Amino acid sequence: LKATIEISNPADTYLNMKKYTKGYIWVNGINLGRFWNVGPQFKLYCPGVWLKNGTNEIYVLDLKYAG
C-alpha cells in the first residue's frame, strides 16, 4: 500500500496500525518500524523531522494481507 499525504506544518505524530495485521512501514524512505496486531503496540511514533512540507510518502507492507 502506498499513500501520499500533504503536510503544511510537519510535527511529531503517531500512525495507528491497529487495522493492519503484521508488517513494516516506511515514511519518506525511512523504515519507521514493524507492527503486529497482537500488540502490545498499535501506534508507531514518527518524528516530525522525518516529515517534510508538501508531499510525503507512506509505504505499508502488510505480510498477512488477504485482500
Side-chain angles (χ1 to χ4, degrees), residues 3 7 9 11 14 24 26-27 29 37-38 43 48 54 57 59-61 63-65:
I7 298 177
N9 187 18
Y14 288 89
Y24 299 88
W26 290 266
V27 175
N37 66 349
V38 297
K43 295 178 183 174
E57 294 181 336
Y59 289 91
V60 177
L61 173 63
L63 300 171
K64 301 283 186 174
Y65 180 70

Side-chain angles (χ1 to χ4, degrees), residues 1-62:
L1 171 70
K2 175 187 175 186
T4 56
I5 57 172
E6 295 290 327
I7 298 177
S8 59
N9 187 18
D12 294 351
T13 190
Y14 288 89
L15 289 128
N16 187 348
M17 303 307 293
K18 193 166 187 163
K19 293 187 178 183
Y20 292 88
T21 309
K22 181 180 183 180
Y24 299 88
I25 186 164
W26 290 266
V27 175
N28 292 326
I30 301 169
N31 186 347
L32 191 60
R34 300 183 289 181
F35 59 88
W36 195 9
N37 66 349
V38 297
Q41 177 179 319
F42 299 106
K43 295 178 183 174
L44 294 173
Y45 172 73
C46 181
V49 296
W50 290 4
L51 301 170
K52 53 188 175 183
N53 279 323
T55 304
N56 290 267
E57 294 181 336
I58 300 173
Y59 289 91
V60 177
L61 173 63
D62 194 337

